[in-house]
Amino acid sequence: MKRRYPAVLFVIGFITNLVFRFFWLFAPAVILMIIGIFSRNFLYIGLTVLLFDIIVSLIEQFKIRAAFLSDTDNPDFRGFQDVLSRDGNWNENLKEFLENRFETPDDNENDTHAE
């Protein structure tokens, strides 16, 4: 089966990389752009830092996408890849996969452990 990486996950991953993973670039860019309201030089510096943050975040997200689409020997990760690549709603497929993967023990097993 040919794998595909959902576009929604790409966008969510990109935004997460932009704001949280490379926070050390995002925060100064925003601060410099706020200061740039009063001084155009700071605005240009802030926009340059933000552009660099966008480029680095895109590169990182393309690396994550490539890792997802590549073949792996890990059966757990292969199952995860197959769930996200399956037709239908990827979110529902993922919920179903996780529920089946991490089933809670039934009440009978809990009673025997309590004694």
Side-chain angles (χ1 to χ4, degrees), residues 5-115:
Y5 190 68
V8 173
L9 289 182
F10 187 88
V11 171
I12 290 171
F14 169 72
I15 293 170
T16 303
N17 287 337
L18 184 73
V19 176
F20 298 111
R21 182 174 176 111
F22 298 110
F23 183 75
W24 53 273
L25 287 172
F26 184 75
V30 170
I31 292 169
L32 287 169
M33 287 188 297
I34 291 171
I35 295 171
I37 294 170
F38 306 107
S39 173
R40 212 169 271 279
N41 292 336
F42 285 103
L43 177 64
Y44 294 139
I45 294 170
L47 287 172
T48 304
V49 173
L50 184 62
L51 180 65
F52 182 68
D53 186 17
I54 289 171
I55 291 169
V56 171
S57 296
L58 270 174
I59 291 170
E60 186 67 24
Q61 193 57 34
F62 278 117
K63 287 180 182 178
I64 292 170
R65 181 181 178 273
F68 177 83
L69 295 176
S70 67
D71 290 330
T72 180
D73 293 334
N74 186 336
D76 294 330
F77 188 64
R78 189 178 305 130
F80 178 72
Q81 288 173 319
D82 293 340
V83 164
L84 291 181
S85 298
R86 214 182 302 154
D87 289 335
N89 186 349
W90 66 268
N91 196 12
E92 291 298 322
N93 293 341
L94 184 61
K95 283 181 185 177
E96 180 183 317
F97 173 74
L98 292 176
E99 286 173 359
N100 292 338
R101 185 82 174 146
F102 301 108
E103 291 180 347
T104 56
D106 60 345
D107 293 336
N108 293 337
E109 289 183 19
N110 287 338
D111 292 338
T112 59
H113 292 289
E115 294 175 7

